[in-house]
Amino acid sequence: DAGITQSPRHKVTETGTPVTLRCHQTENHRYMYWYRQDPGHGLRLIHYSYGVKDTDKGEVSDGYSVSRSKTEDFLLTLESATSSQTSVYFCAAHRGERYGYTFGSGTRLTVV
Amino acid sequence: KQEVTQIPAALSVPEGENLVLNCSFTDSAIYNLQWFRQDPGKGLTSLLLIQSSQREQTSGRLNASLDKSSGRSTLYIAASQPGDSATYLCAVAGNTPLVFGKGTRLSVIA
């Protein structure tokens, strides 16, 4: 496993405030991902990274930005949180195309 | 755009039954397919990874098959137990990052 740690595990924030979620991995995997999981929608890709400082948008990227300044850390930022961003956020990592994905335990974010 | 569908959405079976969960995908140009388990309020646990060149993978009471040409995979669970109750997710990786189905919620009744 990639030893993925997400922080915080739970967060409640107010509409309009910035929020940053952190994902840390210990296995030096090149690829990292942020997904959100919502009832009725399943897991959807927000952003992903294929190396330090190399990122790309996923299916639901509006309102989110990411940064990866070190191999082990992938940050997801909500610049101005909205109630529609209330969700469970999962980070994932993998070594390459032929390898499986490993997921973190998730961050439950509530925007009030 | 890759789309993944899982049928049924929910399934309830008595303990001891053998069961099959189905997954279909629209684009056969995949690298691999992965089955996950998710317990309520928890993260995703990888169960099986099948490469595009493989036909099946087995782990204990679980067997997953892959027919890439028809865009289908099945997860077979033998001798189901109440501890198997969870949501099972199918996901495919190809030219885009992992795309998920919406899952099958399984309840095994003692």
Side-chain angles (χ1 to χ4, degrees), chain A residues 9 33 35 37 40-45 48 59 90 96-106 108, chain B residues 1 30-32 34 36 38 41-44 46 49 51-53 89 93 96-102:
Chain A
R9 292 295 312 276
Y33 306 83
Y35 287 84
Q37 185 175 35
H41 292 281
L43 281 130
R44 294 178 291 173
L45 181 67
Y48 62 101
E59 180 187 1
F90 287 101
E97 291 171 352
R98 301 294 174 181
Y99 296 87
Y101 286 53
T102 301
F103 281 77
S105 299
R108 183 173 298 274
Chain B
K1 177 187 171 186
I30 65 170
Y31 298 133
N32 54 54
Q34 204 166 353
F36 293 89
Q38 186 176 31
K42 303 296 184 182
L44 281 70
S46 181
L49 172 70
Q51 300 296 341
S52 60
S53 58
L89 297 164
T96 57
L98 210 59
V99 177
F100 283 85
K102 293 182 180 179

Side-chain angles (χ1 to χ4, degrees), chain B residues 4-18:
Chain B
V4 180
T5 303
Q6 291 187 245
I7 294 173
L11 181 63
S12 183
V13 300
E15 181 178 6
E17 273 204 6
N18 303 323

Side-chain angles (χ1 to χ4, degrees), chain A residues 58-110:
Chain A
E59 180 187 1
V60 290
S61 59
D62 287 349
Y64 302 95
S65 62
V66 290
S67 66
R68 193 166 178 204
S69 58
K70 298 185 291 184
T71 298
E72 59 266 34
D73 290 325
F74 192 30
L75 304 180
L76 177 70
T77 297
L78 291 66
E79 302 290 347
S80 177
T82 67
S83 58
S84 65
Q85 294 176 313
T86 292
S87 186
V88 180
Y89 291 84
F90 287 101
C91 175
H94 78 129
R95 186 173 292 126
E97 291 171 352
R98 301 294 174 181
Y99 296 87
Y101 286 53
T102 301
F103 281 77
S105 299
T107 294
R108 183 173 298 274
L109 177 68
T110 303

Side-chain angles (χ1 to χ4, degrees), chain A residues 7-84:
Chain A
S7 59
R9 292 295 312 276
H10 303 271
K11 186 171 182 66
V12 180
T13 192
E14 293 186 350
T15 299
T17 60
V19 177
T20 295
L21 308 183
R22 181 177 183 249
C23 178
H24 179 79
Q25 56 126 339
T26 59
E27 294 294 323
N28 205 37
H29 286 345
R30 177 181 176 186
Y31 300 90
M32 296 185 74
Y33 306 83
W34 278 106
Y35 287 84
R36 61 177 288 174
Q37 185 175 35
D38 305 286
H41 292 281
L43 281 130
R44 294 178 291 173
L45 181 67
I46 305 171
H47 280 282
Y48 62 101
S49 170
Y50 42 92
V52 173
K53 299 193 189 312
D54 291 325
T55 64
D56 206 347
K57 296 179 180 180
E59 180 187 1
V60 290
S61 59
D62 287 349
Y64 302 95
S65 62
V66 290
S67 66
R68 193 166 178 204
S69 58
K70 298 185 291 184
T71 298
E72 59 266 34
D73 290 325
F74 192 30
L75 304 180
L76 177 70
T77 297
L78 291 66
E79 302 290 347
S80 177
T82 67
S83 58
S84 65

Side-chain angles (χ1 to χ4, degrees), chain B residues 19-57:
Chain B
L19 57 101
V20 174
L21 307 182
N22 296 291
C23 172
S24 63
F25 47 95
T26 55
D27 184 353
S28 62
I30 65 170
Y31 298 133
N32 54 54
L33 183 146
Q34 204 166 353
W35 282 94
F36 293 89
R37 169 185 172 139
Q38 186 176 31
D39 294 294
K42 303 296 184 182
L44 281 70
T45 300
S46 181
L47 298 174
L48 290 164
L49 172 70
I50 311 178
Q51 300 296 341
S52 60
S53 58
Q54 296 176 317
R55 296 286 291 184
E56 64 178 69
Q57 280 283 352

Side-chain angles (χ1 to χ4, degrees), chain B residues 76-95:
Chain B
Y76 175 83
I77 302 176
S80 59
Q81 303 170 358
D84 294 330
S85 298
T87 296
Y88 291 81
L89 297 164
C90 168
V92 296
N95 292 325

